[in-house]
Amino acid sequence: MTGIASALPIICDPEAKERKMNAPVITMIPQADPGAGYRAQKAEIDAAVARALASGWYILGKEGAAFEEEYASWLGTRRAIGCANGTDALALILRGLGIGPGMSVATVSHTAVATVSAIEMVGATPLLLDIDPDTYTMDPDELLSVIDHPPPGLPPLRAVIPVHIYGQASDLEPMLEATRAAGIALIEDCAQCHGATLNGAKLGTLGTASAFSLYPTKNLGALGDGGVLATNDEALADRIAAIRQYGWKERYISDMVGVNSRLDEVQAAILRVKLTALDAGNERRRAIASAYDAALTGGPYAPPQRRAGTEHVFHQYVLRVPDRAAVQARLKEQGIGTGIHYPVPVHLQPAYQGRVPLGPAGCAETADAAQEVMSLPMYPELTDAQVERICVGLRSLQG
Ligand SMILES: *Cc1c(COP(=O)(O)O)cnc(C)c1O
């Protein structure tokens, strides 16, 4: 008998049970919460899914075509083409432009590895450039210098992919000018910037073409994988539309070598619903960012810098925190989740280190930033009470 009693100490000790019940319950505010986006539009999304399922047509049908039309019209480009994910959107653009082996493509190391993997998927050589440490986007001066003085041994530079990281525009003007003059394509990686603007123009409308990820946590997120690319070049759009489905123009006849990268009808139907909430969601993200800015005022961590002429959409709200691990732990104690985007730059990851060419700056600012960046919770469904709790946590870092 004593054996059983000692095996169940908590149940047999009424005081211990009471102590447990009186402990304060801190619910964790996650750094990202894609389920909240579904719950916010559940009835409409469920109806859209039911409609797509009942249609009996699951790949490249009416929902996909309608989403492409609605996205192009929201963005302001002639064409938008759905595909399987954001990585494929970049690779399809490169393929559509005829970029492959024996050519190089410049991008940044401070990005999701997807940007670099898309370049290698088509057989091209990535050239990794450094960032401006205040906005984390490609340093245009380094790009201009490699266009004028290509690193020896590098295959000819055919395209550049600036990444509008965290939801803010890269310093595009000088890059657009230099790439136009040199006859190089400029492909915008818009995976984190749906709706952001530069001098009043939407990002994704300024380069040769643009690639958007529709991964669940992105500002426009599917409930599964998805991607969409956009361009004003009709001929390029027609080529890519064929390439995404085996190079078919006519069914079963490949006009050119293609791949399979399609957006399915269920995701397209979901995305049509979610697109209607995108602008309001971005507005809410900006309001949350302003609240964080105010809570940080006077403290040791400066709010993220906004580039002049840009409207940020805060895919992420990112601080530079030299004592990052300690700060993450202090916030976690208060139930506040944080993230790191990204902990190891691409050029220092095992698959790439010592293998991919770097620009003359050697990605030094990129390596520094990776040690210090920290992302706060950021999604439109954060409640005012949650935002207030996060602000209290931020103010507690001042002491
Ligand atoms: C998410 C992301 C991608 C890749 O998108 P997937 O849909 O996951 O393939 C590419 N570039 C950047 C900057 C991203 O954040």
Side-chain angles (χ1 to χ4, degrees):
M1 290 304 276
T2 50
I4 291 170
S6 61
L8 299 167
I10 293 176
I11 289 171
C12 297
D13 174 0
E15 272 174 49
K17 192 175 173 190
E18 196 166 313
R19 278 199 300 276
K20 200 175 170 191
M21 284 173 67
N22 292 341
V25 179
I26 304 179
T27 49
M28 199 68 193
I29 303 171
Q31 199 270 324
D33 187 3
Y38 167 56
R39 291 189 294 276
Q41 292 186 286
K42 185 176 184 311
E44 283 171 274
I45 289 174
D46 288 351
V49 169
R51 182 182 70 225
L53 293 178
S55 76
W57 190 282
Y58 304 113
I59 299 278
L60 297 188
K62 286 186 189 144
E63 299 290 344
F67 171 68
E68 289 174 345
E69 219 161 273
E70 287 156 15
Y71 197 74
S73 127
W74 170 83
L75 183 62
T77 51
R78 288 209 186 99
R79 299 281 292 276
I81 298 171
C83 62
N85 54 64
T87 314
D88 278 4
L90 287 166
L92 284 167
I93 293 168
L94 291 169
R95 287 184 205 282
L97 291 168
I99 292 169
M103 306 173 199
S104 58
V105 178
T107 189
V108 285
S109 181
H110 187 76
T111 183
V113 71
T115 315
V116 181
S117 90
I119 296 168
E120 292 203 320
M121 270 169 74
V122 305
T125 302
L127 171 68
L128 301 182
L129 304 182
D130 211 354
I131 52 168
D132 158 44
D134 295 327
T135 55
Y136 310 101
T137 52
M138 183 182 283
D139 174 5
D141 293 335
E142 193 182 13
L143 176 68
L144 269 51
S145 108
V146 299
I147 290 175
D148 285 345
H149 308 284
L154 191 80
L157 189 64
R158 288 285 181 257
V160 50
I161 309 182
V163 178
H164 304 307
I165 201 151
Y166 306 146
Q168 169 162 250
S170 309
D171 190 1
L172 269 191
E173 304 269 315
M175 297 196 248
L176 284 166
E177 199 176 306
T179 50
R180 263 185 218 128
I184 294 170
L186 187 145
I187 301 163
E188 296 176 75
D189 184 335
C190 292
Q192 304 192 1
C193 71
H194 316 69
T197 63
L198 176 62
N199 300 327
K202 275 213 177 97
L203 298 182
T205 63
L206 297 166
T208 313
S210 55
F212 295 83
S213 169
L214 305 170
Y215 183 77
T217 58
K218 303 287 159 103
N219 289 40
L220 178 63
L223 301 177
D225 268 318
V228 61
L229 60 95
T231 182
N232 285 318
D233 180 337
E234 299 272 6
L236 175 62
D238 288 340
R239 279 199 301 282
I240 293 173
I243 293 169
R244 79 167 158 182
Q245 180 163 242
Y246 322 120
W248 288 355
K249 280 194 181 133
E250 190 187 320
R251 204 168 179 77
Y252 305 126
I253 311 293
S254 293
D255 262 27
M256 57 190 110
V257 174
V259 297
N260 174 6
S261 181
R262 299 174 297 214
L263 180 67
D264 71 69
E265 289 287 282
V266 172
Q267 295 306 331
I270 292 168
L271 286 160
R272 293 179 67 192
V273 175
K274 294 195 94 190
L275 182 57
T276 65
L278 176 54
D279 290 333
N282 286 339
E283 206 52 62
R284 173 75 182 155
R285 287 171 185 266
R286 281 190 285 269
I288 295 166
S290 300
Y292 292 168
D293 288 348
L296 290 163
T297 304
Y301 310 112
Q305 285 200 23
R306 278 68 149 181
R307 171 171 286 122
T310 64
E311 191 168 41
H312 207 309
V313 291
F314 289 100
H315 173 61
Q316 301 293 359
Y317 185 98
V318 174
L319 301 177
R320 277 190 91 125
V321 181
D323 49 342
R324 181 171 64 194
V327 168
Q328 287 189 290
R330 283 177 70 182
L331 292 173
K332 191 176 173 189
E333 274 166 22
Q334 300 174 66
I336 300 164
T338 54
I340 301 176
H341 302 94
Y342 297 90
V344 182
V346 176
H347 73 284
L348 297 178
Q349 296 180 19
Y352 298 92
Q353 190 162 27
R355 184 174 69 77
V356 289
L358 308 182
C363 292
E365 294 290 357
T366 297
D368 285 352
Q371 300 289 317
E372 298 186 350
V373 288
M374 186 189 84
S375 312
L376 295 178
M378 179 52 83
Y379 34 98
E381 300 79 18
L382 281 169
T383 64
D384 288 348
Q386 287 175 314
V387 172
E388 184 45 37
R389 250 181 69 194
I390 295 161
C391 289
V392 168
L394 293 175
R395 285 192 287 266
S396 79
L397 301 175
Q398 300 193 9

